[in-house]
Amino acid sequence: MTTEGADGAPVRLVRGPGLLLVWLYGVMSVGAVSRSVYQIATEFDRAPLAYALSAVAAAVYAFITYTLVRGGETARKAALLCCAAELVGVLTVGTWTLADPSAFPDATVWSDYGMGYLFIPVLLPVTGILWLRKSRR
Amino acid sequence: MLGATGRGGTGLAGARAAGLSPRNTLGPMLVALTVAVSVAALALAAWCGFAAYRDQPTKDWHFIGMAVVSVLALAQLVVGIVQLARGEQADEGSVIFVSYLLGALFAVPAAGFLSLSERTRWGSVTVAAGAVVLAVLEVRLHDIWEG
């Protein structure tokens, strides 16, 4: 088994543990996208930095969900790259919110390493990278 | 006994002061539904988690369980919207309240549909995860309504 199936079909990423992964990414996408749309539309001036960062997180989640569903080697690589970017983002924003709380009048999705989301934001990219590496075979 | 009647009195007065209509039984109903959906969601999560532990996919009985949880969530959505229509206020705003109610309604059915495409233990794990997401949404819903 290489990057493609024996019949040349693109590698499916949504199978086995990948299904759980795509479900959690889907949930985070819906949550982060609707949250940032609402906050930017109604109260952007209150915490521009926090809401802009939430929007970035939302875009990353939506893109990873799309690549996982799409499947194939190119999508797998793109998803791997985005998971790495996501992990860097969570760690950076998590540390930033702890080091300089005054810059964040309101929480972002990635505040305190995603504590408000049961630490799923910091666990997802790690499991995502493990799964995507395993799917390469 | 004095304490009991006293508490009952303030409770009723408090409800009357908070609500616009004097006899709004939907308030307690919304709380009861929130508790019911949470308990049902956690039970479903344990049940599907157990199925995954035994290396089994979701089966007909699991889907009946998902239907029960979804019907409860639908009832909660309806009662929530009726409460808003009657002039009650959600503490964090009606847009957020209705968004969470819709999210709560679709969480378990969406996971259920996904599990149809994955006839292994991972389908069961996904439904369990969906039920946990629903339970978390219920906690948030309570905060959004009560403040």
Side-chain angles (χ1 to χ4, degrees):
Chain A
M1 186 79 122
T2 55
T3 53
E4 297 198 334
D7 52 353
V11 60
R12 275 193 72 206
L13 296 173
V14 186
R15 59 183 168 81
L19 183 76
L20 177 64
L21 199 62
V22 82
W23 164 249
L24 290 175
Y25 268 112
V27 169
M28 289 306 294
S29 300
V30 171
V33 168
S34 46
R35 173 183 169 149
S36 53
V37 165
Y38 176 80
Q39 286 178 328
I40 287 172
T42 57
E43 46 180 15
F44 184 68
D45 295 335
R46 202 174 123 232
L49 179 62
Y51 297 155
L53 285 172
S54 282
V56 171
V60 172
Y61 285 127
F63 184 73
I64 294 177
T65 309
Y66 168 70
T67 52
L68 286 175
V69 170
R70 193 166 181 278
E73 181 59 14
T74 314
R76 192 190 68 82
K77 279 183 182 149
L80 200 53
L81 197 69
C82 284
C83 282
E86 182 197 349
L87 185 59
V88 171
V90 177
L91 295 178
T92 308
V93 175
T95 309
W96 192 359
T97 48
L98 289 178
D100 186 16
S102 61
F104 295 90
D106 196 4
T108 79
V109 175
W110 288 345
S111 284
D112 306 337
Y113 306 109
M115 196 165 76
Y117 289 83
L118 306 174
F119 290 110
I120 288 174
V122 76
L123 297 175
L124 260 191
V126 176
T127 45
I129 288 169
L130 290 175
W131 170 244
L132 290 166
R133 282 178 61 86
K134 189 166 169 284
S135 297
R136 180 179 51 190
R137 227 20 89 85
Chain B
M1 186 190 164
L2 192 69
T5 46
R7 224 172 315 168
T10 46
L12 200 59
R16 280 184 181 160
L20 293 180
S21 47
R23 281 186 170 271
N24 189 347
T25 53
L26 286 176
M29 205 168 152
L30 190 62
V31 175
L33 276 170
T34 306
V35 173
V37 174
S38 310
V39 171
L42 289 176
L44 182 68
W47 192 17
C48 290
F50 182 63
Y53 172 74
R54 297 206 303 174
D55 204 7
Q56 289 181 344
T58 47
K59 295 180 177 164
D60 285 356
W61 281 106
H62 296 116
F63 283 98
I64 292 172
M66 290 178 226
V68 170
V69 173
S70 304
V71 166
L72 285 172
L74 179 64
Q76 189 187 26
L77 172 69
V78 171
V79 171
I81 288 176
V82 170
Q83 281 287 68
L84 289 176
R86 290 178 66 156
E88 301 275 347
Q89 301 284 328
D91 185 66
E92 292 180 32
S94 47
V95 175
I96 294 180
F97 183 62
V98 173
S99 308
Y100 270 83
L101 283 173
L102 285 172
L105 175 60
F106 289 114
V108 165
F113 274 115
L114 282 181
S115 81
L116 282 175
S117 70
E118 177 71 33
R119 306 308 297 153
T120 67
R121 72 189 318 170
W122 291 102
S124 305
V125 174
T126 301
V127 174
V132 171
V133 167
L134 174 56
V136 172
L137 286 176
E138 291 301 316
V139 176
R140 278 288 295 139
L141 266 172
H142 181 74
D143 290 343
I144 290 166
W145 184 255
E146 304 272 341

